[in-house]
Amino acid sequence: MNITELTTNDTIFSLGLYNAVTIERMFNESKIVFDYEEEKLGIDGLYVMYSDEMNELLKFMNDRQKLHGFCPYCNKELVFNLTSVEINSELLERKVCVLKYSAIGPEEYDSMERHKDYKCNERIELLKNYTYFNKKAICTFDSSHIMNFFFKLDISYTGAKDSVTLTKVGQSPSYTEMNRHKHKKFSKVLKQINSYDDYVKGDNLFSHDVGVGAFVYLRRILEKILLFKFNDYTKHKGEKKATSIHEFKNMEMEKKIKLLKGYLPKEFDNLKQVYGILSSGIHNLEEDSCKGYYPVLKTAIDLILLEQKESMEKEKLKNKNKSAINKITPEVGEKADKELKKLAGSKK
Ligand SMILES: [Zn+2]
């Protein structure tokens, strides 16, 4: 996974352990033209700066910002202060070097290239001071609630090619501990669709560096959600010629979705796509790719569960309110009658 695909929140709270995040290039070269006012001379030069990916990495390391997350000690969603890594100011300078070819003859181009390599190497040496670094997320409600995240940088530079890999190598509390609130948050819905164990097992596998296995559980959740929706659909529609559960279970995903079309809420719109990625992951993707995609697919499933949870709560509230209205209707009638009689009496 590339660093530009992740937000700071993702990297801190959702990224699994030993899941490589790539910075494909550290440096970017671009041709520039020096334009001297007096002579209006267009002169070629080379401008070396950090790539967007490298800027993202430094921003991630250096930023102290506020993050929304779940504090397992407070047991609720809160704002966290993220600590920054104190980075050498020279390393933060985006411009690496400027080479003016016009100032020299072609015979000196080689030495210019060496100068560029030297400047890039300087930065790499500085970055190596941060091979292991730590970021802390501190709860704003109680500053003794500290979550620790440990990262490692693998830097490779061979002159023409450079790359960096960022890996989360440790965290406390564990991913499972941090996600326990989600398990709790969706426990009713998950139990209703008979998928609570799948949800927890998927997360546990992911937190133990297993990608494909975690995908299997996410796919099971989707299948069970659809089966639940199918049962709900036949119950509400009361169709005489309805498809049997057995037939439904054996249908291809596309047909299942088609059958339930119009009955599924909009959060289910990307279900086919998500299911496709999960299936492809199980059959064709590498372990690392599955681990990289897991948080994104998990969020897609969480959104579906959230929709289901909210509609369950709405239904419950509606029923409760309906019976309360039914209860007060005769009471209101009686009271109104009394008031009317009283009014009629006073007029006499
Ligand atoms: Zn807290």
Side-chain angles (χ1 to χ4, degrees):
M1 197 182 345
N2 191 279
I3 194 160
T4 52
E5 293 168 44
L6 296 166
T7 63
T8 300
N9 204 304
D10 290 336
T11 314
I12 291 292
F13 293 125
S14 307
L15 183 69
L17 294 185
Y18 309 110
N19 192 351
V21 178
T22 52
I23 292 97
E24 274 171 35
R25 287 210 69 98
M26 282 176 73
F27 307 108
N28 242 348
E29 292 179 8
S30 55
K31 278 232 160 68
I32 53 162
V33 171
F34 295 98
D35 193 3
Y36 291 105
E37 268 304 310
E38 320 85 61
E39 299 167 33
K40 294 281 180 216
L41 280 174
I43 303 169
D44 281 332
L46 205 58
Y47 188 35
V48 183
M49 62 206 139
Y50 287 143
S51 67
D52 290 346
E53 297 161 71
M54 181 65 179
N55 283 328
E56 278 298 317
L57 173 67
L58 291 172
K59 190 173 140 238
F60 170 70
M61 293 167 76
N62 192 43
D63 260 9
R64 64 175 78 237
Q65 52 172 286
K66 296 207 184 294
L67 292 181
H68 278 279
F70 180 82
C71 177
Y73 310 108
C74 290
N75 202 24
K76 60 178 162 193
E77 295 271 349
L78 282 164
V79 175
F80 286 86
N81 284 320
L82 189 65
T83 60
S84 78
V85 180
E86 295 305 325
I87 297 180
N88 177 303
S89 60
E90 203 182 324
L91 182 61
L92 287 177
E93 178 59 51
R94 290 176 179 205
K95 189 177 84 180
V96 179
C97 66
V98 181
L99 307 173
K100 292 181 189 175
Y101 283 107
S102 59
I104 55 165
E107 70 280 0
E108 285 174 283
Y109 280 12
D110 260 7
S111 71
M112 223 42 146
E113 286 294 323
R114 281 202 298 278
H115 174 74
K116 186 184 81 185
D117 284 348
Y118 176 78
K119 283 291 177 190
C120 290
N121 257 315
E122 258 184 0
R123 298 299 177 95
I124 286 161
E125 286 309 312
L126 286 173
L127 187 65
K128 281 182 182 167
N129 292 324
Y130 307 93
T131 301
Y132 289 94
F133 68 90
N134 157 235
K135 302 254 315 168
K136 290 186 175 102
I138 302 165
C139 171
T140 49
F141 182 75
D142 183 335
S143 59
S144 70
H145 298 169
I146 300 172
M147 307 215 223
N148 258 295
F149 303 91
F150 300 91
F151 295 91
K152 184 177 181 243
L153 293 177
D154 287 297
I155 307 156
S156 122
Y157 184 61
T158 53
K161 218 173 162 0
D162 59 71
S163 67
V164 184
T165 307
L166 168 74
T167 317
K168 192 192 267 178
V169 291
Q171 72 174 66
S172 168
S174 71
Y175 184 87
T176 312
E177 188 71 31
M178 276 172 45
N179 280 278
R180 192 160 284 162
H181 77 291
K182 274 195 186 162
H183 301 164
K184 219 168 112 188
K185 184 176 171 186
F186 295 129
S187 70
K188 262 193 196 157
V189 178
L190 287 163
K191 280 173 186 162
Q192 193 188 32
I193 62 167
N194 189 27
S195 226
Y196 183 76
D197 287 348
D198 299 321
Y199 194 86
V200 176
K201 278 178 191 163
D203 260 0
N204 284 346
L205 284 181
F206 175 68
S207 70
H208 285 90
D209 202 25
V210 179
V212 180
F215 262 42
V216 172
Y217 284 104
L218 289 189
R219 199 172 74 163
R220 279 169 69 96
I221 299 170
L222 278 192
E223 278 163 356
K224 288 185 182 176
I225 290 174
L226 273 186
L227 187 64
F228 176 81
K229 282 283 172 191
F230 171 74
N231 282 328
D232 207 36
Y233 166 78
T234 47
K235 203 167 78 191
H236 278 87
K237 292 275 169 183
E239 278 184 22
K240 291 272 180 290
K241 283 195 294 179
T243 320
S244 74
I245 283 208
H246 180 72
E247 279 172 310
F248 184 79
K249 276 184 179 170
N250 287 321
M251 270 183 188
E252 278 179 12
M253 178 54 72
E254 208 159 320
K255 282 193 177 153
K256 287 183 183 175
I257 294 171
K258 210 172 157 189
L259 179 76
L260 298 175
K261 209 180 169 205
Y263 189 68
L264 299 175
K266 69 174 187 332
E267 281 73 11
F268 287 60
D269 280 358
N270 60 359
L271 195 136
K272 202 173 102 187
Q273 221 178 339
V274 174
Y275 189 87
I277 300 170
L278 288 171
S279 298
S280 175
I282 293 164
H283 301 295
N284 309 316
L285 292 180
E286 296 286 326
E287 183 68 16
D288 277 350
S289 305
C290 289
K291 279 187 275 171
Y293 297 139
Y294 183 87
V296 181
L297 298 167
K298 179 76 191 312
T299 303
I301 288 177
D302 282 350
L303 286 171
I304 291 175
L305 292 172
L306 187 65
E307 196 284 331
Q308 184 62 25
K309 180 178 146 83
E310 284 171 354
S311 85
M312 258 171 73
E313 283 165 358
K314 202 171 148 192
E315 192 64 27
K316 204 172 150 192
L317 192 66
K318 233 164 80 181
N319 288 336
K320 210 173 151 191
N321 186 253
K322 197 177 162 186
S323 61
I325 298 265
N326 286 341
K327 192 169 165 265
I328 62 171
T329 306
E331 282 176 21
V332 170
E334 265 172 46
K335 276 186 187 166
D337 272 355
K338 268 186 199 166
E339 299 288 326
L340 277 173
K341 275 176 192 161
K342 221 193 274 174
L343 214 65
S346 69
K347 271 186 182 171
K348 273 178 192 168

